[in-house]
Amino acid sequence: MFRPNVKPLALPTGEDGVTASPRRPAWRWLFPLAALHAALMVPLSLLALYHGWDILSQLASPAAHARELLFGFALAVIAGYLLGPLSQRQQVGLVGLWLVGRMGILDWPGSVLATLADALFALWLAGLLVPRFLAAKKWRNRVLSPLLGLICLLAVVTLTWRYQDDMPTTAPLMHQSVLWLVLLMTFMGGRIISPAVNGYLMSRYRMAGAGVQPQIESALIVLLGLAPFLMLWGALRPLAAWLVLAAGLLVLWRVLRWGPGQCRERPDLLVLMLGYSWLGIGLLLLARTWWMPEHASSALHVFTIGALGTLSSAVMLRHVILRARQRPEAEWALVPLAGLFATAAILRLWALDAGSGWLAILWCSALLWSLAWLLVAWRLRYWLARMPSGRAVSTRPDN
């Protein structure tokens, strides 16, 4: 469903023979911009939260920090990967709205305009993506339509946090947003990793791999689709914990069935599987958190630093490298990136129990995260400069 292809196409022409405006893939702009945004956003959040930078007042809360990571960074990556080719007008409009929306973290007179731009970006993205997957033949693929629509809706609803003090719904909405993103990463990660591993195993060993594992995929959709609703009621939270525990074990079992031991010569595939494993680890920690809520944010940071960082960086780089008609396993930065994200995640968890040194450890985690994304931005620039001169339009995800 998400297998990348590169298909050279002639420039489209109108009925009068005049060459139409060329269509360019959205990731050419959104991937590098998202990487730079991720590198800057976390240090800026710490400056706003703990060092009194008043100009960043809209980042001066954990909820605002989480919102910018989920709906500023992650939504740009989703848009870049799923949108496919866009006309120049569409691309300028979407990228422009996203850029203006990022200025909403500043305390300035135009913050309302930035908030409006942020909302319009999410709504426009939903309008482009949601109808696309409604025509899918399999119910598992059609799940993407309401899921993407819900994530875009949450991106709009959570903008109200900028104009209201902390409300009783703030923390539940943040948790809901992370959980729906986890479901999306679980589904899309499986659809990206499975064909990549199968293709390698067929070419290297002449054997088929475990593939998508549809029964496991179906179970994960049901488990992770029910858990966000059940966790809203205290009496049902233990049941939700059992669901995410089962989902975490299934995620790790799925990774083992892909056969990481047979992919030792493919660091790009190993890094993808490591990122997917972070989802399983995060789900296990989330189940523990719902039973023993000592550190409610521990699992969330495993998802956002370990899983989102590792998976999105690897997917972005592989996507661009394949369209540059090169081999992803030749990218030397993938393994160091996985190490940077893993260390950042571990330090973030350690900071919860670090006593008086917690802020220094937080800064170490944030700087490692930023270093990783600056490296991603540099490598994206490197590969974009090596794109074929002929126009190649990436295909949209099929059904």
mmCIF file of all heavy atoms in Angstrom, residues 53 60 76 80 110 118 193 202 221 231 233 282 289 300-301 363 366 388:
data_model
loop_
_atom_site.group_PDB
_atom_site.id
_atom_site.type_symbol
_atom_site.label_atom_id
_atom_site.label_comp_id
_atom_site.label_asym_id
_atom_site.label_seq_id
_atom_site.Cartn_x
_atom_site.Cartn_y
_atom_site.Cartn_z
ATOM 1 N N TRP A 53 11.453 32.704 28.790
ATOM 2 C CA TRP A 53 11.455 33.441 27.529
ATOM 3 C C TRP A 53 10.023 33.847 27.184
ATOM 4 O O TRP A 53 9.259 33.070 26.619
ATOM 5 C CB TRP A 53 12.065 32.584 26.417
ATOM 6 C CG TRP A 53 13.567 32.594 26.416
ATOM 7 C CD1 TRP A 53 14.376 32.594 27.501
ATOM 8 C CD2 TRP A 53 14.419 32.607 25.271
ATOM 9 N NE1 TRP A 53 15.692 32.594 27.124
ATOM 10 C CE2 TRP A 53 15.754 32.613 25.748
ATOM 11 C CE3 TRP A 53 14.211 32.605 23.900
ATOM 12 C CZ2 TRP A 53 16.851 32.611 24.900
ATOM 13 C CZ3 TRP A 53 15.297 32.603 23.048
ATOM 14 C CH2 TRP A 53 16.604 32.624 23.548
ATOM 15 N N ALA A 60 4.954 27.719 26.648
ATOM 16 C CA ALA A 60 5.299 27.661 28.072
ATOM 17 C C ALA A 60 4.385 26.730 28.859
ATOM 18 O O ALA A 60 3.988 27.037 29.979
ATOM 19 C CB ALA A 60 5.271 29.057 28.671
ATOM 20 N N ALA A 76 3.284 17.588 9.476
ATOM 21 C CA ALA A 76 4.020 17.942 8.257
ATOM 22 C C ALA A 76 4.643 16.711 7.618
ATOM 23 O O ALA A 76 4.667 16.574 6.386
ATOM 24 C CB ALA A 76 5.098 18.978 8.579
ATOM 25 N N GLY A 80 3.770 15.315 3.945
ATOM 26 C CA GLY A 80 4.802 15.103 2.943
ATOM 27 C C GLY A 80 4.793 13.693 2.397
ATOM 28 O O GLY A 80 5.005 13.478 1.188
ATOM 29 N N GLY A 110 0.370 39.234 15.537
ATOM 30 C CA GLY A 110 -0.172 38.391 14.478
ATOM 31 C C GLY A 110 -0.425 36.964 14.876
ATOM 32 O O GLY A 110 -0.628 36.108 14.007
ATOM 33 N N ASP A 118 -2.695 27.816 10.889
ATOM 34 C CA ASP A 118 -2.477 26.464 11.378
ATOM 35 C C ASP A 118 -3.734 25.620 11.218
ATOM 36 O O ASP A 118 -3.686 24.460 10.786
ATOM 37 C CB ASP A 118 -2.057 26.514 12.852
ATOM 38 C CG ASP A 118 -1.080 25.411 13.215
ATOM 39 O OD1 ASP A 118 -0.810 24.551 12.359
ATOM 40 O OD2 ASP A 118 -0.586 25.406 14.350
ATOM 41 N N ILE A 193 7.418 -1.214 6.327
ATOM 42 C CA ILE A 193 8.481 -2.174 6.637
ATOM 43 C C ILE A 193 8.252 -3.506 5.927
ATOM 44 O O ILE A 193 9.202 -4.102 5.389
ATOM 45 C CB ILE A 193 8.581 -2.382 8.161
ATOM 46 C CG1 ILE A 193 8.977 -1.075 8.842
ATOM 47 C CG2 ILE A 193 9.597 -3.476 8.494
ATOM 48 C CD1 ILE A 193 8.886 -1.113 10.353
ATOM 49 N N MET A 202 13.576 -11.611 -0.709
ATOM 50 C CA MET A 202 13.422 -12.279 -2.004
ATOM 51 C C MET A 202 14.670 -12.117 -2.858
ATOM 52 O O MET A 202 15.123 -13.072 -3.517
ATOM 53 C CB MET A 202 12.205 -11.721 -2.735
ATOM 54 C CG MET A 202 10.869 -12.212 -2.202
ATOM 55 S SD MET A 202 10.651 -14.002 -2.347
ATOM 56 C CE MET A 202 10.633 -14.176 -4.125
ATOM 57 N N ILE A 221 -5.279 -2.860 15.044
ATOM 58 C CA ILE A 221 -6.233 -1.788 14.758
ATOM 59 C C ILE A 221 -7.370 -1.806 15.779
ATOM 60 O O ILE A 221 -7.779 -0.763 16.301
ATOM 61 C CB ILE A 221 -6.784 -1.930 13.326
ATOM 62 C CG1 ILE A 221 -5.686 -1.644 12.296
ATOM 63 C CG2 ILE A 221 -7.963 -0.980 13.105
ATOM 64 C CD1 ILE A 221 -6.087 -1.934 10.867
ATOM 65 N N MET A 231 -9.892 4.451 27.943
ATOM 66 C CA MET A 231 -9.077 5.114 28.963
ATOM 67 C C MET A 231 -9.718 6.391 29.506
ATOM 68 O O MET A 231 -9.287 6.943 30.512
ATOM 69 C CB MET A 231 -7.678 5.424 28.427
ATOM 70 C CG MET A 231 -7.599 6.369 27.247
ATOM 71 S SD MET A 231 -7.594 8.164 27.633
ATOM 72 C CE MET A 231 -6.100 8.312 28.569
ATOM 73 N N TRP A 233 -12.632 6.628 30.857
ATOM 74 C CA TRP A 233 -13.403 6.317 32.051
ATOM 75 C C TRP A 233 -12.520 5.558 33.037
ATOM 76 O O TRP A 233 -11.939 4.518 32.698
ATOM 77 C CB TRP A 233 -14.629 5.480 31.698
ATOM 78 C CG TRP A 233 -15.663 6.265 30.958
ATOM 79 C CD1 TRP A 233 -16.651 7.028 31.485
ATOM 80 C CD2 TRP A 233 -15.796 6.382 29.534
ATOM 81 N NE1 TRP A 233 -17.399 7.613 30.497
ATOM 82 C CE2 TRP A 233 -16.899 7.236 29.285
ATOM 83 C CE3 TRP A 233 -15.096 5.846 28.441
ATOM 84 C CZ2 TRP A 233 -17.311 7.565 28.006
ATOM 85 C CZ3 TRP A 233 -15.505 6.175 27.169
ATOM 86 C CH2 TRP A 233 -16.593 7.031 26.957
ATOM 87 N N GLY A 282 6.809 1.371 24.186
ATOM 88 C CA GLY A 282 5.955 2.442 24.699
ATOM 89 C C GLY A 282 4.593 1.931 25.133
ATOM 90 O O GLY A 282 4.045 2.368 26.160
ATOM 91 N N THR A 289 1.707 2.358 33.206
ATOM 92 C CA THR A 289 1.314 3.680 33.690
ATOM 93 C C THR A 289 -0.165 3.709 34.072
ATOM 94 O O THR A 289 -0.555 4.328 35.062
ATOM 95 C CB THR A 289 1.602 4.740 32.615
ATOM 96 O OG1 THR A 289 3.005 4.803 32.381
ATOM 97 C CG2 THR A 289 1.108 6.114 33.040
ATOM 98 N N LEU A 300 4.582 8.380 26.925
ATOM 99 C CA LEU A 300 4.378 9.362 25.854
ATOM 100 C C LEU A 300 5.706 9.784 25.242
ATOM 101 O O LEU A 300 5.807 9.977 24.025
ATOM 102 C CB LEU A 300 3.627 10.578 26.394
ATOM 103 C CG LEU A 300 2.262 10.319 27.033
ATOM 104 C CD1 LEU A 300 1.589 11.640 27.391
ATOM 105 C CD2 LEU A 300 1.370 9.504 26.108
ATOM 106 N N HIS A 301 6.744 9.920 26.057
ATOM 107 C CA HIS A 301 8.048 10.316 25.517
ATOM 108 C C HIS A 301 8.745 9.172 24.793
ATOM 109 O O HIS A 301 9.551 9.415 23.892
ATOM 110 C CB HIS A 301 8.922 10.879 26.632
ATOM 111 C CG HIS A 301 8.483 12.237 27.084
ATOM 112 N ND1 HIS A 301 7.775 12.446 28.235
ATOM 113 C CD2 HIS A 301 8.618 13.467 26.503
ATOM 114 C CE1 HIS A 301 7.517 13.731 28.370
ATOM 115 N NE2 HIS A 301 8.008 14.375 27.337
ATOM 116 N N TRP A 363 18.079 18.974 29.197
ATOM 117 C CA TRP A 363 18.781 19.700 28.147
ATOM 118 C C TRP A 363 19.657 18.759 27.312
ATOM 119 O O TRP A 363 19.735 18.919 26.081
ATOM 120 C CB TRP A 363 19.623 20.825 28.745
ATOM 121 C CG TRP A 363 18.877 22.115 28.811
ATOM 122 C CD1 TRP A 363 18.393 22.744 29.919
ATOM 123 C CD2 TRP A 363 18.520 22.944 27.694
ATOM 124 N NE1 TRP A 363 17.747 23.902 29.574
ATOM 125 C CE2 TRP A 363 17.811 24.064 28.210
ATOM 126 C CE3 TRP A 363 18.717 22.856 26.325
ATOM 127 C CZ2 TRP A 363 17.312 25.071 27.403
ATOM 128 C CZ3 TRP A 363 18.222 23.879 25.515
ATOM 129 C CH2 TRP A 363 17.532 24.958 26.046
ATOM 130 N N ALA A 366 17.291 17.051 24.975
ATOM 131 C CA ALA A 366 16.820 17.961 23.933
ATOM 132 C C ALA A 366 17.893 18.242 22.890
ATOM 133 O O ALA A 366 17.612 18.296 21.683
ATOM 134 C CB ALA A 366 16.354 19.276 24.569
ATOM 135 N N PRO A 388 17.336 12.975 -9.824
ATOM 136 C CA PRO A 388 17.485 12.968 -11.284
ATOM 137 C C PRO A 388 16.972 14.263 -11.896
ATOM 138 O O PRO A 388 16.008 14.865 -11.406
ATOM 139 C CB PRO A 388 16.633 11.776 -11.727
ATOM 140 C CG PRO A 388 16.520 10.913 -10.516
ATOM 141 C CD PRO A 388 16.549 11.840 -9.344
#
